[in-house]
Structure formats: structure tokens, C-alpha cells
Amino acid sequence: MGTPSIPGAAPRRRRWLVALPLLGFMAVAGLFLVRLYGGDASKIPSALIGRPAPQTALPQLEGLIQNGVQVPGLDPAAFKGKVSVVNVWASWCVPCHDEAPLLTELGKDKRLQLVGINYKDSPDNARRFLGRYGNPFGFVGVDGNGRGSIEWGVYGVPETFVVGRAGTILYKMVGPVTKANFETVLKVEIEKALKAGG
């Protein structure tokens, strides 16, 4: 004689087996959401760290004059031999207005050069923005369609990069430069780049 079966045991087992894929999906989705929304957005890793800065030339912002001379656009050759801070900004970007005075202060440091990438902006608004806060940039490249910023791996404006003397991206800050991270993060990364040989 076989063992007596417990009424309802087989249907319960089948329900459990049917629920397994759903539970697995929910676990994976939960992990994805935690990774996407949990944590600090400024710590999003960049695949470009340790790689050469993109060889993307961008045109100058027409009519942007400094010391009587047109400010040049972005020429990738400008990164060789000098520590550079590259800031991707736009006049319509609210945090860009907040970080502008800090970048103007940083622009006074003659050991490095500041490079601006003006993202999907109108030339008039971009010039007004720099007129309002002062232009800390030695180069301003216009990225009207956003393709240049894509090559830099930009998620959204503002973003700031530190590029070493060899033209290699050493650091990326996602989000605005703030009073809190200016001294404790950005300047620390700049000093590391300045101390590094080559």
C-alpha cells in the first residue's frame, strides 16, 4: 500500500513553484532600484576615468570676448601639459548658477586651466550667464546638440572633470560644485593631479 496523500498538498506545491519566478524577478528588480536610486549620484562611476579625454573639438562661443580677444573653443590639444578642470554647464541649469561663483574663484588658480562645455544652450543666454558671474574659462566649447557631452559620458549638467597633464581623465564629479564639496573633494582631486608627474 502506498502512503496516503494529504489533500491539497500537490496544488500548494504547484502554486509555490509558479510563484518562484515572480519572487526571483521581484528580488532582481528590488536590487536594481536600490542601485539606481539609493546612494549618492555624485559617486556614479565613469568608464572614462584613467582614459584619455575625448578628442572632441567644439566651436567657440561667438562673441565671447575676454581681454579684447575671442575666447577659443575646445581643442583637445589644449589638455596636453596642463592640469585642466572641465565643467559642463548651461544657462538654463539652476545648479550651474549656484556653482558659478565657486568656479570663478577656482579660475584664479593659475596652476590649472578651466575649460567650459556649454551644453544645449543659446549663445545669447550663455554669454549673459558668463557676463553675470564672470568667465573663469580659458576655453568655451559650444555643444549645441549634446553629442560632445555624450562622448564625455555626461549624465546631465552640471558635471565637472579633472584632466591630468597627460590628457587623461582623473576624476569626475556628477552634479554641482558646492561649498561642501569644493574644498573637501574637488580641490583635493585637483591637488592630486597637480602633484602627479606627467
Side-chain angles (χ1 to χ4, degrees), residues 111-167:
R111 300 173 301 160
L112 51 95
Q113 64 183 358
L114 262 67
V115 177
I117 296 178
N118 183 232
Y119 180 78
K120 293 186 176 181
D121 210 347
S122 85
D124 287 342
N125 289 343
R127 282 190 300 273
R128 264 195 294 277
F129 178 95
L130 293 174
R132 178 177 180 185
Y133 297 108
N135 177 21
F137 305 114
F139 303 87
V140 176
V142 174
D143 189 14
N145 60 15
R147 285 194 188 130
S149 298
I150 289 170
E151 291 192 27
W152 279 85
V154 170
Y155 295 102
V157 291
E159 288 192 15
T160 305
F161 300 82
V162 177
V163 179
R165 288 184 186 91

Side-chain angles (χ1 to χ4, degrees), residues 51-140:
R51 300 186 110 144
Q55 297 298 296
T56 308
L58 294 171
Q60 64 192 19
L61 177 57
E62 291 296 338
L64 181 61
I65 307 297
Q66 195 153 330
N67 300 325
V69 179
Q70 168 70 47
V71 174
L74 177 56
D75 177 356
F79 294 122
K80 294 292 183 188
K82 215 158 185 194
V83 171
S84 305
V85 175
V86 180
N87 179 256
V88 185
W89 62 278
S91 65
W92 47 262
C93 156
V94 173
C96 296
H97 288 263
D98 296 336
E99 73 176 4
L102 295 168
L103 293 174
T104 300
E105 182 183 327
L106 188 61
K108 295 173 185 169
D109 188 338
K110 299 306 172 200
R111 300 173 301 160
L112 51 95
Q113 64 183 358
L114 262 67
V115 177
I117 296 178
N118 183 232
Y119 180 78
K120 293 186 176 181
D121 210 347
S122 85
D124 287 342
N125 289 343
R127 282 190 300 273
R128 264 195 294 277
F129 178 95
L130 293 174
R132 178 177 180 185
Y133 297 108
N135 177 21
F137 305 114
F139 303 87
V140 176

Side-chain angles (χ1 to χ4, degrees), residues 11-27:
R12 260 186 267 152
R13 194 174 313 140
R14 264 187 252 126
R15 272 188 246 138
W16 176 249
L17 290 173
V18 168
L20 274 177
L22 179 61
L23 290 172
F25 171 78
M26 288 172 56

